[in-house]
Amino acid sequence: MSGMASDHNTSSQEEYVPHYLQKEDPFASKLSREADIIAGFYLTVIGILSTLGNGYVIFMSSKRKKKLRPAEIMTVNLAVCDLGISVVGKPFSIISFFCHRWMFGWIGCRWYGWAGFFFGCGSLITMTAVSLDRYLKICHLSYGTWLKRHHAFICLAIIWAYATFWATVPFAGVGNYAPEPFGTSCTLDWWLAQASVAGQVFVLSILFFCLLLPTAVIVFSYVKIILKVKSSTKEVAHYDTRIQNSHILEMKLTKVAMLICAGFLIAWIPYAVVSVWSAFGQPDSVPIQFSVVPTLLAKSAAMYNPIIYQVIDCKFACCRSGGLKTKNSLKKSR
């Protein structure tokens, strides 16, 4: 009898179905076939561009890996996270959209949910670390004198450990990964908040430690940087050329970091809002056709960063070439 009971418990664990999907097939698409095909093509384009762009960033960085500054090491880590999302996660959802249902069962669903949350959390915590680095570098100049490359690698170890911990917590029985309401993708089971107090604690913990706290640190850091830059621009103009060039490089890295964080938050905040609304509202309070839009927007976040790198690099190169021309003309006039 005890053996039969344990088998029953194992079976129920494997066949877990969120309470809002208990009366229907959890993996059947709730969208029209045409909408699934459009979403599949959209994710295919996003996946290809993201893979090529982040792969290029990692390749170019590997050619000068010994010369990378700590802030640049962080941006490479961000490209690794974005590439991971594109290579590990997107093929699952693309195939499922084209097949008009989730094709990989509960094991694939939990793997996809874990991978998406792991790399997404890693991206946000990396950007948090970059924003703190920029804040200390710009607002507390003495910080830059002791920061070395090995400090950046220690920070990377902490980032990966943090992401691993929070992505794995649902497997400890505290939470779970489940299909999205539209059926062809998987995510954290936000809807556990409607089932129990423990589910509410789980969802609120995830929101605080993996979204609200990092976002607050990012916003604080860049607000302080903006205020500092406004007050110190005139002071830098009186320094020699070497200090001015160093300041220009630091500001370039800061602009890259700010744009990356802005792009990430713009892509993910709508998804977070819809998830929270679904978690603490009525099960059908968010229309299924509406819930898919923030999900697709969030999946596009990995594509933005390589574009931002290239735009800033091109602009910076133009500035440097302009500066070189000015110096040459001064030499000729002399």
Side-chain angles (χ1 to χ4, degrees):
M1 291 293 290
S2 61
M4 292 177 63
S6 62
D7 290 343
H8 176 72
N9 291 336
T10 304
S11 176
S12 62
Q13 178 69 20
E14 287 298 322
E15 296 176 1
Y16 161 80
V17 178
H19 67 279
Y20 63 95
L21 288 175
Q22 289 178 356
K23 296 182 181 179
E24 51 189 305
D25 183 357
F27 297 133
S29 176
K30 311 304 185 296
L31 303 174
S32 67
R33 187 171 293 276
E34 292 77 14
D36 276 337
I37 291 174
I38 292 172
F41 275 116
Y42 170 81
L43 287 182
T44 300
V45 173
I46 294 296
I48 292 173
L49 293 177
S50 175
T51 301
L52 293 177
N54 287 292
Y56 175 76
V57 170
I58 295 171
F59 172 73
M60 294 303 295
S61 299
S62 67
K63 296 176 67 174
R64 49 185 294 269
K65 57 185 177 182
K66 294 184 178 179
K67 298 181 180 180
L68 291 176
R69 301 158 66 91
E72 292 173 316
I73 293 173
M74 292 295 179
T75 54
V76 173
N77 188 65
L78 186 59
V80 171
C81 291
D82 291 340
L83 185 64
I85 292 175
S86 301
V87 173
V88 176
K90 282 189 173 62
F92 287 82
S93 54
I94 290 172
I95 293 171
S96 297
F97 272 117
F98 282 125
C99 293
H100 198 49
R101 67 175 287 111
W102 180 258
M103 298 298 296
F104 304 98
W106 279 108
I107 294 178
C109 182
R110 292 188 179 108
W111 161 251
Y112 177 85
W114 181 89
F117 186 47
F118 172 72
F119 287 116
C121 182
S123 295
L124 183 57
I125 303 305
T126 300
M127 286 184 284
T128 305
V130 170
S131 68
L132 279 175
D133 172 76
R134 296 294 85 206
Y135 163 69
L136 294 171
K137 187 75 174 180
I138 301 297
C139 300
H140 302 277
L141 299 180
S142 59
Y143 162 81
T145 60
W146 65 266
L147 180 69
K148 305 300 180 184
R149 283 166 55 93
H150 69 271
H151 293 113
F153 290 114
I154 293 172
C155 187
L156 291 186
I158 295 173
I159 290 169
W160 287 109
Y162 192 91
T164 301
F165 173 78
W166 285 107
T168 309
V169 160
F171 293 130
V174 180
N176 213 323
Y177 293 100
E180 299 267 16
F182 51 86
T184 47
S185 181
C186 293
T187 184
L188 280 167
D189 190 356
W190 301 103
W191 302 269
L192 282 173
Q194 299 177 4
S196 65
V197 175
Q200 293 177 1
V201 172
F202 164 71
V203 170
L204 291 175
S205 299
I206 291 291
L207 286 173
F208 179 77
F209 288 104
C210 299
L211 179 63
L212 297 180
L213 180 60
T215 302
V217 172
I218 290 171
V219 172
F220 167 81
S221 298
Y222 289 123
V223 168
K224 297 293 286 186
I225 288 171
I226 291 171
L227 295 176
K228 181 68 176 180
V229 169
K230 284 186 177 181
S231 64
S232 63
T233 301
K234 294 181 180 179
E235 298 177 9
V236 175
H238 298 292
Y239 295 151
D240 60 34
T241 304
R242 183 179 60 83
I243 295 178
Q244 289 183 17
N245 290 339
S246 177
H247 178 74
I248 291 172
L249 178 58
E250 294 299 335
M251 290 311 302
K252 174 209 169 186
L253 294 173
T254 303
K255 288 178 181 178
V256 170
M258 290 179 69
L259 287 173
I260 288 172
C261 291
F264 185 91
L265 294 176
I266 289 171
W268 277 98
I269 284 179
Y271 178 77
V273 170
V274 170
S275 297
V276 172
W277 189 272
S278 300
F280 295 98
Q282 295 298 320
D284 57 350
S285 59
V286 179
I288 291 176
Q289 291 76 9
F290 178 76
S291 68
V292 71
V293 176
T295 302
L296 295 178
L297 178 62
K299 292 179 187 298
S300 68
M303 180 188 69
Y304 303 149
N305 297 341
I307 298 174
I308 294 171
Y309 302 148
Q310 294 306 312
V311 169
I312 296 295
D313 279 340
C314 289
K315 183 178 178 181
F316 188 63
C318 290
C319 292
R320 285 186 299 182
S321 63
L324 288 174
K325 289 179 181 178
T326 303
K327 289 180 181 178
N328 290 334
S329 62
L330 286 173
K331 287 181 180 179
K332 289 180 180 180
S333 63
R334 287 175 183 173

